[in-house]
Amino acid sequence: MARSEQDLLSTEIVNRGIESSGPNAGSLTFSVRVRRRLPDFLQSVNLKYVKLGYHYLINHAIYLATIPVLLLVFGAEVGSLSREELWKKLWDDARYDLATVLGFFGVFVLTLSVYFMSRPRSVYLIDFACYRPPGELKVTKEQFIEKARKSGKFDEASVEFQRRIIQSSGIGDETYIPKAVMTDENCVTMKQGRLEASMVMFGALDELFEKTRVRPKDVGILVVNCSIFNPTPSLSAMLINHYKMRGNILSYNLGGMGCSAGIIAVDLARDMLQANPNNYAVVVSTEMVAYNWYPGKDRSMLIPNCYFRMGCSAVLLSNRRRDYHRAKYRLEHIVRTHKGADDRSFRCIYQEEDEQGFRGLKVSKDLVEIGGEALKTNITTLGPLVLPFSEQLFFFATLIWRHLFGGGGLQTSAKKPYIPDYKLAFEHFCVHAASKTVLDELQKNLELSDNNMEASRMTLHRFGNTSSSSIWYELAYLEAKERVKRGDRVWQISFGSGFKCNSVVWQSMRSVRKPTSRNPWLDCIDRYPLPSN
């Protein structure tokens, strides 16, 4: 087997128990399963997801299809007449022709009215904010390991395991963790959870309201997502109480939905804005590090300790037409993929207690493979919505050729379909900064350049995995570098427990200048990108 193929495979030895009968009775039996680390996107493309993408694309096109038909019919009738005959029809037989003309324009106006009435309202992103914790919570990798050892929560084997993971994680020496996690006290308490929640959420929202000059009472829709920490009253209620928001606000609190919940929250806010015109919506995405801290010995549960760091984002959305001129981005597409029907995907990231009774997130060894399958489904559905026509044409031609002749003599030349170049559809990529391994695999399979992955890698290095808010730290990085120009399209993609993979596409309404304040990258942007990365 070639080395390149071996790199994509993982071997798992599974204990199948003790043989109950036969010549091997009383002996342990094992099975060996060899799996790909990430599915090869070039080997299989499911047509149903391609069709699903086109279903999204033509959802409202039926109305527009009527217009060219009417124009064709009317033009054919008029075009067959000379100027004298047309004049005679219009004026000498006015009753007949006037009724025809009025009938045509009536259908034309009705078609346009139905189309524009059924067309979704534009949703604008006015601005967003990413919270940067205070400097005293900053921790280097070595400090992390030393504090973990001194906290007394881990044995030496667990400390050494975390050291190996964090050294190859892609995380730098300036990430933030709560003080409580590195002390001997129990940090998995409601008190510590609320303290961290108030710090990061209030910090992000204070910045957002200051940047947009929108009053909290002007917000009509509030969506908060936090996967692990879900107190009563909810986090959304905490914000309403703190900012004294209005009594008829539509508030929602999403829990247990993993790192991809930020895009789900934006999707929910969009739907609510479609049903409630002339409104503002705020989306808050975060995760509580202290409440998710695992002090046990199970190595699959120790992995989240090494990656997750403090962070929070707050996004202001609007459907008001007068916000068109001050908006930064317009929402173009959201595509959501859920693989929860599959048992392996469902249990890929699973919260449970270990043998000692400590609660934590158990991360499966199949995570990269399962995540890749969800990603493949998601981008296959997204393709028809965003790719240039030429790319779609090449894709379909080679796909049809493969399905027609793949089993015959042309199998060798046609076994791989043409994979569209997503770099032609987007100027900027914000891939969820989960880990260095995940980013490496995605870059290789999507054939993205180092420049395309820069925002994700630098975010992972500077802030760590901030869960659902990481894609906003990446967009803040692009803005701080002054790379977002008018008309650019930004692809944010995230994945998380369930297993889910979600995409959102934004179009820039104006060129974004380098911020002079209130950007988490301002104090360090000149040091990035790092040469070694």
Side-chain angles (χ1 to χ4, degrees):
M1 184 182 297
R3 174 67 180 174
S4 59
E5 185 176 355
Q6 287 178 337
D7 292 341
L8 291 176
L9 300 178
S10 61
T11 304
E12 182 180 358
I13 302 177
V14 182
N15 185 349
R16 302 184 62 88
I18 298 175
E19 189 71 31
S20 58
S21 60
N24 297 320
S27 302
L28 288 174
T29 59
F30 300 88
S31 64
V32 179
R33 291 187 292 183
V34 180
R35 296 174 177 168
R36 290 189 176 273
R37 293 174 58 195
L38 194 68
D40 190 348
F41 293 178
L42 302 176
Q43 293 297 330
S44 62
V45 176
N46 198 325
L47 280 175
K48 72 176 181 179
Y49 299 121
V50 179
K51 292 188 289 185
L52 181 59
Y54 279 102
H55 172 73
Y56 293 156
L57 183 65
I58 64 174
N59 192 30
H60 298 282
I62 186 64
Y63 305 115
L64 289 180
T66 311
I67 297 175
V69 172
L70 292 173
L71 290 175
L72 185 63
V73 173
F74 183 73
E77 182 178 352
V78 172
S80 63
L81 303 175
S82 65
R83 181 182 301 175
E84 293 77 11
E85 291 173 334
L86 178 61
W87 182 267
K88 182 177 181 180
K89 271 186 168 294
L90 290 175
W91 296 105
D92 293 350
D93 197 3
R95 288 178 300 175
Y96 170 77
D97 289 304
L98 184 60
T100 302
V101 171
L102 289 178
F104 169 79
F105 279 106
V107 174
F108 183 79
V109 171
L110 178 63
T111 302
L112 281 180
S113 300
V114 171
Y115 170 72
F116 283 108
M117 289 176 64
S118 63
R119 185 182 180 185
R121 296 180 179 88
S122 294
V123 173
Y124 304 108
L125 191 160
I126 306 302
D127 213 331
F128 66 96
C130 297
Y131 178 68
R132 187 176 65 186
E136 64 261 21
L137 299 182
K138 192 179 295 185
V139 62
T140 68
K141 289 181 286 189
E142 286 302 320
Q143 288 173 340
F144 178 89
I145 297 301
E146 286 305 311
K147 289 184 178 182
R149 178 180 286 110
K150 292 178 180 178
S151 69
K153 297 176 179 178
F154 308 101
D155 58 24
E156 191 58 35
S158 297
V159 171
E160 185 58 31
F161 174 77
Q162 291 180 86
R163 179 193 293 276
R164 294 198 304 271
I165 293 295
I166 201 170
Q167 290 297 337
S168 61
S169 64
I171 292 176
D173 291 327
E174 296 184 279
T175 58
Y176 304 91
I177 60 173
K179 286 183 178 180
V181 303
M182 290 305 181
T183 63
D184 56 0
E185 65 178 293
N186 179 21
C187 61
V188 189
T189 63
M190 298 300 291
K191 178 181 178 181
Q192 290 295 336
R194 285 193 171 96
L195 284 175
E196 184 180 346
S198 61
M199 176 189 293
V200 298
M201 292 196 306
F202 297 164
L205 279 172
D206 286 346
E207 179 182 333
L208 181 69
F209 290 138
E210 179 182 333
K211 291 170 70 173
T212 60
R213 297 184 180 181
V214 171
R215 300 177 305 168
K217 285 187 178 294
D218 294 333
V219 177
I221 301 163
L222 174 64
V223 184
V224 180
N225 69 270
C226 181
S227 186
I228 299 296
F229 183 60
N230 291 286
T232 300
S234 66
L235 295 177
S236 59
M238 181 189 297
L239 296 178
I240 293 170
N241 174 262
H242 178 77
Y243 290 100
K244 308 305 177 188
M245 294 179 170
R246 65 198 201 195
N248 63 343
I249 189 172
L250 302 174
S251 66
Y252 301 89
N253 202 93
L254 305 181
M257 304 195 77
C259 299
S260 64
I263 296 178
I264 298 174
V266 171
D267 191 22
L268 175 58
R270 178 189 63 172
D271 291 344
M272 297 309 301
L273 286 172
Q274 297 299 337
N276 297 272
N278 197 36
N279 234 317
Y280 283 123
V282 168
V283 176
V284 179
S285 300
T286 188
E287 194 59 75
M288 300 304 111
V289 176
Y291 198 77
N292 191 40
W293 199 254
Y294 173 70
K297 300 179 181 179
D298 190 316
R299 294 192 172 185
S300 65
M301 293 184 175
L302 286 169
I303 293 175
N305 288 1
C306 302
Y307 287 101
F308 285 104
R309 297 294 185 264
M310 295 177 68
C312 180
S313 65
V315 181
L316 179 66
L317 304 175
S318 171
N319 60 6
R320 307 191 314 171
R321 289 186 176 90
R322 58 180 174 271
D323 286 327
Y324 173 88
H325 296 289
R326 73 174 186 134
K328 277 188 174 181
Y329 305 93
R330 181 176 60 233
L331 180 57
E332 294 290 315
H333 307 288
I334 295 180
V335 174
R336 293 168 54 182
T337 300
H338 204 305
K339 293 289 187 178
D342 176 69
D343 290 339
R344 286 177 62 231
S345 298
F346 176 72
R347 297 190 66 91
C348 179
I349 301 176
Y350 202 81
Q351 188 180 24
E352 61 182 359
E353 289 83 16
D354 64 6
E355 296 178 352
Q356 298 174 281
F358 293 122
R359 186 180 69 244
L361 280 178
K362 191 165 190 176
V363 180
S364 169
K365 295 179 180 179
D366 301 328
L367 174 62
V368 177
E369 177 193 359
I370 291 170
E373 290 289 349
L375 174 67
K376 183 177 70 175
T377 300
N378 188 266
I379 65 175
T380 304
T381 304
L382 180 68
L385 302 176
V386 297
L387 288 168
F389 178 74
S390 59
E391 287 296 296
Q392 299 189 45
L393 184 64
F394 280 120
F395 171 75
F396 269 108
T398 54
L399 189 65
I400 292 174
W401 182 271
R402 175 174 174 265
H403 278 270
L404 290 178
F405 304 106
L410 298 176
Q411 184 175 5
T412 302
S413 62
K415 74 173 183 176
K416 291 186 177 181
Y418 176 79
I419 299 302
D421 186 359
Y422 283 86
K423 296 188 293 294
L424 298 177
F426 307 106
E427 286 72 31
H428 308 289
F429 296 79
C430 296
V431 182
H432 170 49
S435 69
K436 183 178 183 298
T437 301
V438 171
L439 294 180
D440 288 344
E441 292 293 329
L442 289 177
Q443 179 178 3
K444 179 170 59 178
N445 278 270
L446 293 180
E447 298 181 352
L448 300 178
S449 67
D450 290 340
N451 187 60
N452 296 143
M453 299 296 293
E454 182 181 314
S456 299
R457 293 190 186 280
M458 298 309 105
T459 297
L460 179 64
H461 182 273
R462 174 63 180 85
F463 293 98
N465 183 347
T466 61
S467 189
S468 56
S469 64
S470 69
I471 54 177
W472 296 105
Y473 285 87
E474 294 163 19
L475 186 54
Y477 177 88
L478 295 171
E479 289 190 355
K481 286 288 187 179
E482 295 187 273
R483 294 181 182 173
V484 181
K485 308 300 180 184
R486 179 183 175 88
D488 286 357
R489 289 205 286 183
V490 180
W491 181 19
Q492 291 179 317
I493 183 166
S494 61
F495 26 85
S497 60
F499 193 88
K500 300 178 289 294
C501 180
N502 302 315
S503 291
V504 58
V505 179
W506 305 93
Q507 184 170 28
S508 176
M509 304 289 289
R510 54 186 169 88
S511 297
V512 180
R513 297 179 180 177
K514 185 175 181 178
T516 57
S517 63
R518 295 295 190 175
N519 185 293
W521 293 91
L522 280 184
D523 67 333
C524 62
I525 191 63
D526 294 334
R527 293 190 275 118
Y528 289 95
L530 300 176
S532 59
N533 286 47

